[in-house]
Amino acid sequence: MPQYRRWRVEGGMYFLTVVTHERRRVFAAEWTRQLLREAISKVRAIRPFEVTAMALMPDHFHMLWQLPDGDDDFSTRLGSIKYAFTRAYLAAGGEEGATSVGRTRHRNRGVWQKRFHEHRIRDDQDFTRHVEYIHYNPVKHEYADSPAKWPWSSFHRYVKLGLYGEQWCDPENAAELGPEPGFE
């Protein structure tokens, strides 16, 4: 079995990707999006972190987190969010995907993929690439024609702060916008 090594830096900023089990469209409903918001809020109250950017798709989400000084434990926070969401989701009648004997033995329910992707942000350029990736992701997956048309994203907060124009990466204004954001 592979040994995953996480690059932990106290006070670090991390890009995280979390996917639902079997890529099920768990977050297509408002009540499930609300349960996720509540799980994140509950964990942030106990173990603070700042959400710098986020996009929620029906079957996965991307987040950019800033951890507090002296703290490098993003894994426990993310595990706690997944656990809190899973308990509330199943209690509210949410359905889980198929589970194997191994998943059941390790107490992994059929709501989330077992692992998650993490990347420590190294510098300003890396930060910009990942924020752009997060905000462009709904377009990449063809959930929306432009980032402005996807409501479950921090893109709208960035527009209000003046960091993006409302037309950022809108295909109707492609000539004005320059190259596609970030990376594939």
Side-chain angles (χ1 to χ4, degrees), residues 4-182:
Y4 294 96
R5 293 191 177 194
R6 306 265 186 211
W7 187 8
R8 296 179 176 275
V9 174
E10 292 182 351
M13 181 174 284
Y14 292 89
F15 168 79
L16 303 160
T17 299
V18 184
V19 181
T20 60
H21 181 61
E22 300 171 331
R23 285 234 177 229
R24 295 173 63 248
R25 297 172 56 89
V26 171
F27 301 113
E30 176 56 33
W31 70 274
T32 57
R33 293 188 294 269
Q34 181 60 36
L35 289 178
L36 181 61
R37 279 190 291 277
E38 291 168 6
I40 292 168
S41 293
K42 182 186 290 187
V43 172
R44 284 180 67 193
I46 298 165
R47 300 189 65 130
F49 61 92
E50 179 185 340
V51 178
T52 306
M54 179 176 182
L56 176 63
M57 272 59 69
D59 62 353
H60 71 287
F61 65 82
H62 300 289
M63 294 177 99
L64 200 58
W65 287 3
Q66 176 71 56
L67 296 179
D69 289 339
D71 194 337
D72 68 357
D73 193 3
F74 56 86
S75 290
T76 299
R77 286 171 171 85
L78 196 50
S80 297
I81 290 168
K82 289 167 68 173
Y83 178 78
F85 174 83
T86 299
R87 284 183 56 111
Y89 173 72
L90 295 175
E95 296 180 18
E96 61 184 310
T99 56
S100 66
V101 173
R103 270 184 90 88
T104 304
R105 183 175 54 244
H106 290 99
R107 297 181 8 218
N108 291 318
R109 304 298 300 257
V111 177
W112 300 103
Q113 283 187 3
K114 195 163 68 170
R115 301 223 181 257
F116 62 91
H117 170 77
E118 135 275 329
H119 168 82
R120 189 183 77 76
I121 301 299
R122 297 180 301 268
D123 56 31
D124 289 343
Q125 182 180 11
D126 197 29
F127 171 81
T128 299
R129 285 181 21 173
H130 283 83
V131 169
E132 289 178 352
Y133 180 83
I134 288 169
H135 292 148
Y136 191 72
N137 204 254
V139 178
K140 175 184 171 187
H141 288 282
E142 299 180 348
Y143 293 125
D145 295 337
S146 72
K149 293 178 183 172
W150 188 250
W152 303 288
S153 169
S154 58
F155 172 80
H156 307 284
R157 183 178 66 192
Y158 277 61
V159 170
K160 285 179 185 172
L161 293 171
L163 301 171
Y164 289 144
E166 186 73 30
Q167 303 304 316
W168 182 81
C169 284
D170 188 329
E172 293 176 16
N173 298 307
E176 301 169 25
L177 299 170
E180 188 173 294

